[in-house]
Amino acid sequence: AQRVTQPEKLLSVFKGAPVELKCNYSYSGSPELFWYVQYSRQRLQLLLRHISRESIKGFTADLNKGETSFHLKKPFAQEEDSAMYYCALGFFQGAQKLVFGQGTRLTINP
Amino acid sequence: KAGVTQTPRYLIKTRGQQVTLSCSPISGHRSVSWYQQTPGQGLQFLFEYFSETQRNKGNFPGRFSGRQFSNSRSEMNVSTLELGDSALYLCASSPGGGANYGYTFGSGTRLTVV
């Protein structure tokens, strides 16, 4: 079955420190992977997708098919990065499907 | 262009009542998905519609239903409300079709059942 695992429910780092939010997935086909972010009192929004290989707000994520991982990284955390982060696996099997992990709440301490 | 619009933003209902939530997708998007978000369960998939057809359904009881209109607008209905149905209900739209482009989410409807 398709599954996304985010092992850390809570992650707290200091401003300026590196950040890594872990995501592992289970899918036998060719996955589409995404990171979504939800800032306080705002809507869930797409942060980045692996296929575009872009960097948004200093965040990057590399798909590692061997380790079935898609970890989100940022070299220097900023206070405005505090939010809820969701990793998601997208695929098409007769219908469009997007499976979310449980999310990681990231807190950046000043 | 306008984003995904969900109405109403907030709802308070009594156990046993029924409720209808509305979602207007981004213009041109043909796929609409619904999710239930709760602190304990996270984001749980409800169903996905494409061109007025339900293509996929999550593991929710039959009290949860939905539909999509010819203009891609979608509604979801919950009948015989239970306290556990209290949640943020999110609608997401995407171009649809055979590729997965990721979704654009609305702000959600917060349903409180008392």
Side-chain angles (χ1 to χ4, degrees):
Chain A
Q2 301 81 17
R3 185 178 297 175
V4 176
T5 303
Q6 293 179 250
E8 304 135 330
K9 291 189 72 173
L10 302 170
L11 183 62
S12 181
V13 301
F14 286 102
K15 177 183 173 182
V19 174
E20 183 178 46
L21 289 83
K22 291 183 168 53
C23 171
N24 289 90
Y25 67 91
S26 173
Y27 181 59
S28 58
S30 184
E32 293 278 348
L33 284 151
F34 307 87
W35 276 98
Y36 283 82
V37 60
Q38 192 169 32
Y39 300 103
S40 179
R41 298 190 185 87
Q42 293 188 29
R43 66 180 64 191
L44 193 63
Q45 54 188 289
L46 179 65
L47 181 62
L48 56 78
R49 68 185 85 184
H50 91 272
I51 197 169
S52 57
R53 301 186 65 81
E54 57 195 344
S55 173
I56 305 293
K57 299 185 180 183
F59 284 98
T60 59
D62 290 318
L63 175 61
N64 186 322
K65 291 187 177 180
E67 296 181 359
T68 59
S69 68
F70 189 57
H71 303 326
L72 184 68
K73 299 177 184 179
K74 184 170 183 176
F76 307 104
Q78 299 173 295
E79 288 185 65
E80 53 265 34
D81 296 329
S82 293
M84 193 74 176
Y85 291 80
Y86 293 94
C87 182
L89 166 68
F91 54 97
F92 188 87
Q93 283 181 343
Q96 192 158 311
K97 301 182 182 182
L98 193 63
V99 175
F100 286 88
Q102 287 294 303
T104 298
R105 181 167 298 282
L106 175 65
T107 302
I108 308 300
N109 300 305
Chain B
K1 55 183 175 181
V4 178
T5 303
Q6 291 187 248
T7 56
R9 289 294 306 274
Y10 302 94
L11 269 176
I12 300 176
K13 290 286 187 178
T14 305
R15 273 182 302 174
Q17 286 187 311
Q18 68 94 25
V19 66
T20 299
L21 313 181
S22 180
C23 172
S24 294
I26 289 174
S27 178
H29 283 193
R30 296 167 64 192
S31 172
V32 173
S33 296
W34 288 89
Y35 286 83
Q36 182 194 65
Q37 186 177 28
T38 59
Q41 299 297 317
L43 285 151
Q44 301 286 309
F45 171 75
L46 280 156
F47 21 67
E48 188 241 0
Y49 287 89
F50 179 80
S51 294
E52 303 178 67
T53 300
Q54 186 183 91
R55 294 196 299 190
N56 193 17
K57 192 177 192 303
N59 294 323
F60 279 82
R63 301 185 296 107
F64 291 81
S65 63
R67 58 178 175 168
Q68 187 180 35
F69 302 94
S70 58
N71 62 357
S72 293
R73 190 177 70 85
S74 178
E75 290 180 348
M76 66 162 281
N77 185 280
V78 188
S79 62
T80 319
L81 284 165
E82 300 177 1
L83 294 178
D85 297 333
S86 295
L88 181 67
Y89 289 88
L90 296 175
C91 167
S93 78
S94 76
N100 197 316
Y101 300 100
Y103 297 169
T104 302
F105 282 84
S107 296
T109 295
R110 184 163 297 281
L111 172 64
T112 302
V113 183
V114 297

